[in-house]
Amino acid sequence: MTTSEPASVSSPAETIQSLFEHHVVPTYGRFPLTLDRGKGSYVWDVDGRRYLDMGGGIAVNVLGHAHPELVKTLSEQAGTLMHCCNLYYHQGQGELAKQIVDRIGPGKCFFSNSGAEANEGLFKLARKFGCEEGRFEIITCQQSFHGRTMAGIAATGQDKVKQGFEPIMPGFRHVPFNDLAAMKSAISPATVAIMIEGVQGEGGIQPASSEYLKGLRALCDEHRLLLLWDGVQCGHYRTGNFQSYASILKDHEDGEAFLPDAISLAKSIGGGFPMGAFWVREPYQDLLGPGSHGTTFGGSPLACSVALKILEVIERDSLDQNAARMGGMLTKGLQVLAAKFPDYIQEIRGMGLMIGIVFKPEIADLGNTARPVSLQIVERLHANGMLTIPSGAHVVRFLPALNISAAEVEEALSILNSTLESITS
Ligand SMILES: *Cc1c(COP(=O)(O)O)cnc(C)c1O
């Protein structure tokens, strides 16, 4: 856009995009979509075009958009007590901590405002746990993603998030995911913890294997390491259980006994209200004592009210079962499409409503070899009225609301089918 053009020539979308171009730090390569409002699993752009939202704002809009009960809860709580800081008690935070403990196991919770901050708390917990013995090192996995803070990028097993921010915070090493032998041989006398995602999200929707989880638990017990679980993307019932280890280990007799030592939560926990949390298992729940950690906003009355309402609605409406059922239906449909388009689709991966379509790294029919396949597919899906999330160069993710309907799943499959058909022709 040039400034010599009369203002009336610009569309609302162009005007908004121009504000970003001039005034917002360009950390994101954004798609040219300007969204205005949402309802359930649909969003509308400023020109009134409707999109089926299969990305859920990256696994955040857990009950879809503008859920009437969340709107009511937020507005009522805003009119009662929005914020009071952590120098005082209030009912919501205590209640929410109990609800999370009830769903995971004996321990305690801390509340933050994002996933990166939740993980930051887990790194501090591990440092505190090992400090008297001089142990500090945390081993994470290649292709993992743990947030954008300085410790978060140090923990993340992807070079692209670290470049330009050296020196990287020391004390983190990365090993291949789902490789127990590699983890075992990486453990040093300085190691204090292992952190993994149950299903790697940014790393292309890669679920951990059941053997890996059981092996990691045994390794941590043997070497007195904390097993830190990043449940930011794969948690909150997305895989059919509150945390994904229960989904991964569901057919194992001893699966019930598996517990990490600490778990981070964010994304879906607030359904769009910015929020994070971590849970710490007994007997480590009091390691972070008074003055050792804190946050101004974390666990505010407003945040806790909406998080409590989300848990209530998920439970009342059996949305864990809906996630498993709709996820199964979506996966089955995607497998049919994978068989129909073998030149394009390599594999369908994931669990519940966390599903990745792995495209062939190069698709000649797309006609643009310079731009990653994932972005080109996502853009074509936008043109056909559906939002999805790219994950790396050739995976496209579905992370929809847990209350998605069978009709919406059918619609998603139909849009994908016609989009792939249109590439061929
Ligand atoms: C998104 C994400 C984070 C970071 O959460 P933010 O709220 O963006 O700070 C950390 N870990 C995983 C697995 C994530 O998907």
Side-chain angles (χ1 to χ4, degrees):
M1 277 208 337
T2 62
T3 44
S4 57
E5 266 174 341
S8 60
V9 171
S10 303
S11 70
E14 281 171 336
T15 306
I16 293 165
Q17 288 171 24
S18 163
L19 285 172
F20 273 66
E21 194 183 311
H22 291 103
H23 307 294
V24 176
V25 176
T27 57
Y28 281 93
R30 291 174 201 268
F31 296 108
L33 280 190
T34 305
L35 301 179
D36 185 41
R37 67 195 165 89
K39 186 83 197 142
S41 285
Y42 293 95
V43 290
W44 284 261
D45 68 15
V46 289
D47 298 320
R49 274 208 71 198
R50 191 180 85 157
Y51 302 84
L52 176 62
D53 185 1
M54 295 301 286
I58 320 186
V60 169
N61 297 104
V62 68
L63 299 185
H65 299 274
H67 191 283
E69 285 171 275
L70 299 193
V71 172
K72 183 164 179 280
T73 296
L74 277 167
S75 56
E76 282 178 4
Q77 188 61 49
T80 310
L81 185 66
M82 196 183 306
H83 171 84
C84 67
C85 94
N86 279 304
L87 296 177
Y88 315 109
Y89 295 92
H90 66 89
Q91 189 185 352
Q93 189 176 134
E95 196 65 38
L96 180 59
K98 181 184 185 310
Q99 290 294 327
I100 293 171
V101 166
D102 285 351
R103 283 166 174 76
I104 302 176
K108 289 182 180 173
C109 297
F110 176 92
F111 295 98
S112 65
N113 313 289
S114 68
E117 275 176 277
N119 284 339
E120 197 78 15
L122 296 192
F123 305 143
K124 285 179 72 176
L125 176 82
R127 289 262 176 119
K128 194 86 187 199
F129 174 67
C131 70
E132 278 174 18
E133 301 167 68
R135 296 194 293 153
F136 59 88
E137 190 180 72
I138 300 170
I139 307 175
T140 71
C141 290
Q142 289 167 7
Q143 304 308 314
S144 63
F145 183 80
H146 299 299
R148 295 288 193 160
T149 56
M150 287 307 288
I153 62 172
T156 293
Q158 303 192 44
D159 287 340
K160 66 178 185 201
V161 307
K162 305 178 199 264
Q163 273 156 20
F165 301 110
E166 295 83 1
I168 297 299
M169 186 178 156
F172 292 92
R173 278 194 296 134
H174 315 303
V175 296
F177 187 55
N178 268 336
D179 183 340
L180 197 58
M183 187 64 86
K184 190 172 178 168
S185 59
I187 295 169
S188 82
T191 307
V192 72
I194 289 169
M195 177 180 268
I196 65 156
E197 294 161 81
V199 184
Q200 288 190 335
E202 303 307 306
I205 311 295
Q206 288 278 11
S209 72
S210 52
E211 289 67 35
Y212 190 54
L213 296 194
K214 290 201 270 185
L216 288 183
R217 185 63 272 176
L219 267 186
C220 287
D221 291 343
E222 185 186 337
H223 295 271
R224 283 195 314 113
L225 312 177
L226 296 183
L227 182 54
L228 309 178
W229 189 271
D230 184 338
V232 168
Q233 190 165 152
C234 59
H236 232 69
Y237 297 106
R238 182 153 297 280
T239 63
N241 287 281
F242 186 57
Q243 291 298 322
S244 60
Y245 54 78
S247 306
I248 294 167
L249 295 168
K250 73 172 186 310
D251 297 327
H252 292 248
E253 272 174 36
D254 49 353
E256 295 257 311
F258 179 91
L259 255 192
D261 296 306
I263 300 175
S264 56
L265 303 86
K267 292 203 162 90
S268 291
I269 189 175
F273 190 89
M275 187 174 191
F278 65 79
W279 165 91
V280 189
R281 183 183 192 174
E282 255 176 27
Y284 311 117
Q285 78 276 22
D286 294 331
L287 267 176
L288 293 173
S292 64
H293 196 45
T295 164
T296 299
F297 292 125
S300 74
L302 194 57
C304 293
S305 69
V306 70
L308 280 165
K309 182 55 77 176
I310 288 167
L311 289 175
E312 183 193 318
V313 171
I314 289 174
E315 195 154 291
R316 183 197 65 204
D317 297 350
S318 302
L319 295 182
D320 52 345
Q321 288 164 37
N322 195 61
R325 214 167 37 239
M326 292 302 115
M329 184 179 161
L330 187 51
T331 299
K332 214 182 255 168
L334 290 173
Q335 273 155 356
V336 170
L337 291 181
K340 180 174 170 187
F341 299 99
D343 293 344
Y344 301 159
I345 299 177
Q346 195 168 299
E347 190 190 354
I348 306 300
R349 285 199 296 245
M351 309 186 73
L353 287 174
M354 183 170 186
I355 306 173
I357 311 169
V358 185
F359 285 91
K360 296 269 163 83
E362 270 142 41
I363 300 178
D365 289 347
L366 284 170
N368 181 352
T369 48
R371 192 155 167 77
V373 163
S374 60
L375 299 185
Q376 295 191 63
I377 299 284
V378 165
E379 282 161 348
R380 284 171 185 251
L381 292 171
H382 288 170
N384 290 330
M386 177 161 76
L387 307 187
T388 56
I389 313 280
S391 178
H394 53 103
V395 179
V396 172
R397 272 179 285 182
F398 286 130
L399 301 160
L402 302 190
N403 56 5
I404 191 170
S405 69
E408 288 157 351
V409 167
E410 291 292 356
E411 187 184 351
L413 290 166
S414 151
I415 292 174
L416 181 63
N417 178 50
S418 55
T419 302
L420 295 177
E421 273 178 350
S422 73
I423 297 173
T424 335
S425 56

